Amino acid sequence: MTQPNDDASEQNLAQAHEEHAKAAAQHPSLGTYRWVLGGLLVLLLLTAGAHHLLSGPASLMAAMLIAAAKAVLVACVFMHLRYDKGVIRLFALAGFFWLAILIALTLMDVMTRIGPAVAFPGSM
Amino acid sequence: MTPRAPAKALASQFDDLDQQHHAALLGMWAFLTTEVLFFGSLFAAYIVYRMQFPHAFAQGSHELYQSIGFINTAVLLTSSYCVASAVHHVKQGNHKQTFRALVFTLTLACLFLIFKGIEYAMDIHEGIVPGPSFNQALFDDPAHAQLFFVLYWFMTGLHALHVSVGIGVLFTLVLRVKKNRDQSSLASLKNFMEMAGLYWHFVDLVWIFLYPLLYLVS
C-alpha cells in the first residue's frame, strides 16, 4: 500500500537532485572570481578618478552608479546570487526592498515640510 | 539517488545535504536582510542631513584621509575575493588552498582594522570628533559639520564592529580548517564557511557604499 507514495517521493527527490546538480554545475570558477576582483579594483580607480574630475550632483551620481556596479558584482558573483535559486534571491532582495520603503517614506515626510518646520531652508 | 551522507555532515532535521545547504543560505540571507536595515537607518539619516546641509558635508568630507579610505576599500575588495576563493576550495576539498585563502582573508581583515585605527588616531588629533574638543575653526558651519562627523564616526564605527565580529568568525574557521584535514570533516565545514563568506561579502558591500558617501563628498 505504501509503495506508490515511496516511488513518487523518490522521484521528486531525484528530480530535486538533478536540478541542484545543474545549478551547482554553474558554480563560478576561480578565474571568474579573479576577473571580478579586477573589475572591482578598476571600478575603485574610476571612483577616485570621478571624484577628482567631477563635482556637485554629477560627482554624487557617478559615485553612486559606480558603487552600485561594484555592489552588483559582489552580490551576484561573490555572494553567488547569479547562480542561486529564486527563493534565495527573493530573501536577498527583500532587505533592499524594505530599505527603499524606509528611505522613501522618510524623504516623503522631510521633503514636503513647509512653513516653520521647513526641512530644506531656501527650497520652499 | 539519495546520497548516504556521513553522520557528521547531515543534521537530523534535514532530508539531505541539499536541503541543509539551502536552509543555511536562506537563514544567512534572512540575517543579512536585518543587517541591511540596521545600516540602512544610518544611511537614511545621512541622506536627509546631506540634502539639508550639502556644504557642511562637503567640508567635513574634505577633512578625512582620502588615501586611507582608498586603501581600505582596496583591502576589503581583495579580502572578499580571498574568502570567495576559500569557499570555492573547500567545496572542492582542497585543504591547503582553503587554509591559505582563509589566512589571506584574515590578514587583510586585520589590516583594515589597523589602518582604520591609525586613521581614527589621526582624526582625533585633527580635532574632528564632535563635542567639546571639535576644531570649529576648520569649518564655515561647524554645527552641521559636526552632524557629518557624528555620522562618520557612527557609521564607520558600526562597520568596524562588524569587521571585528567577522575577524572572530574567520579566525574560528581557520582553526577548524587546520584541525579537519581529511575530506569528510572538511566537507562538514562547507556550509559554515559559505555562510561566513556571505557575512564577509556583506561587510564589504556596506563599505562599498560608505566609501564614496563619506570620503568623496564635493
Side-chain angles (χ1 to χ4, degrees):
Chain A
M1 267 308 264
T2 55
Q3 284 290 70
N5 284 340
D6 282 347
D7 282 343
S9 62
E10 271 285 345
Q11 241 176 23
N12 285 337
L13 212 53
Q15 229 176 12
H17 281 303
E18 229 178 77
E19 278 174 24
H20 184 86
K22 254 189 280 171
Q26 295 172 37
H27 189 88
S29 64
L30 266 185
T32 310
Y33 285 156
R34 288 201 190 111
W35 275 106
V36 169
L37 175 63
L40 285 171
L41 293 173
V42 163
L43 285 172
L44 174 60
L45 287 168
L46 258 176
T47 315
H51 175 65
H52 280 291
L53 294 173
L54 304 168
S55 64
S59 160
L60 174 64
M61 183 101 282
M64 284 297 100
L65 278 175
I66 300 173
K70 283 188 215 152
V72 162
L73 276 177
V74 170
C76 290
V77 183
F78 283 170
M79 291 176 105
H80 216 246
L81 281 180
R82 187 162 162 228
Y83 314 93
D84 277 335
K85 283 184 257 189
V87 169
I88 296 175
R89 292 193 211 175
L90 191 66
F91 269 56
L93 286 172
F96 294 96
F97 174 68
W98 264 286
L99 180 62
I101 296 176
L102 170 70
I103 293 175
L105 291 186
T106 305
L107 286 181
M108 226 159 56
D109 167 7
V110 165
M111 288 174 77
T112 56
R113 290 184 190 176
I114 55 175
V118 62
F120 303 115
S123 67
M124 285 195 167
Chain B
M1 251 137 299
T2 321
R4 291 279 170 265
K8 224 177 177 182
L10 182 64
S12 58
Q13 69 266 37
F14 298 109
D15 288 336
D16 53 53
L17 289 173
D18 292 339
Q19 191 190 48
Q20 181 174 275
H21 178 244
H22 191 65
L25 288 184
L26 278 184
M28 196 59 207
W29 274 110
F31 169 64
L32 290 181
T33 298
T34 68
E35 291 278 271
V36 165
L37 287 164
F38 193 11
F39 278 98
S41 54
L42 286 173
F43 278 101
Y46 173 96
I47 291 173
V48 172
Y49 289 126
R50 178 169 170 176
M51 284 173 80
Q52 291 189 13
F53 311 110
H55 183 63
F57 268 54
Q59 281 202 319
S61 171
H62 193 66
E63 293 300 318
L64 294 177
Y65 291 95
Q66 309 282 333
S67 47
I68 302 183
F70 182 88
I71 290 170
N72 264 346
T73 312
V75 164
L76 271 188
L77 290 174
T78 311
S79 72
S80 244
Y81 163 77
C82 291
V83 80
S85 75
V87 172
H88 180 266
H89 282 302
V90 81
K91 286 187 175 177
Q92 306 213 317
N94 302 329
H95 178 268
K96 204 170 74 161
Q97 284 99 314
T98 306
F99 184 75
R100 204 160 9 133
L102 272 182
V103 167
F104 276 141
T105 314
L106 191 55
T107 310
L108 288 169
C110 294
L111 263 180
F112 178 90
L113 276 190
I114 291 171
F115 291 153
K116 197 79 204 123
I118 294 173
E119 184 185 11
Y120 274 171
M122 296 189 341
D123 287 336
I124 293 171
H125 185 73
E126 270 261 322
I128 57 174
V129 180
S133 61
F134 190 73
N135 187 350
Q136 305 206 3
L138 290 171
F139 307 100
D140 297 336
D141 182 0
H144 297 123
Q146 285 189 71
L147 199 52
F148 170 79
F149 286 111
V150 165
L151 284 166
Y152 165 74
W153 285 98
F154 267 90
M155 289 170 96
T156 57
L158 186 64
H159 180 262
L161 195 64
H162 280 71
V163 170
S164 309
V165 168
I167 287 176
V169 170
L170 286 170
F171 186 64
T172 307
L173 264 175
V174 163
L175 291 179
R176 288 228 198 146
V177 167
K178 192 150 195 261
K179 226 174 45 163
N180 294 306
R181 289 183 175 276
D182 57 288
Q183 287 296 324
S184 67
S185 53
L186 190 62
S188 68
L189 286 176
K190 272 194 276 189
N191 280 346
F192 180 17
M193 198 169 307
E194 193 162 359
M195 288 165 74
L198 279 180
Y199 177 81
W200 193 253
H201 293 308
F202 174 76
V203 164
D204 187 23
L205 266 181
V206 171
W207 185 262
I208 284 173
F209 285 101
L210 273 189
Y211 170 59
L213 289 178
L214 291 176
Y215 291 85
L216 306 179
V217 184
S218 64

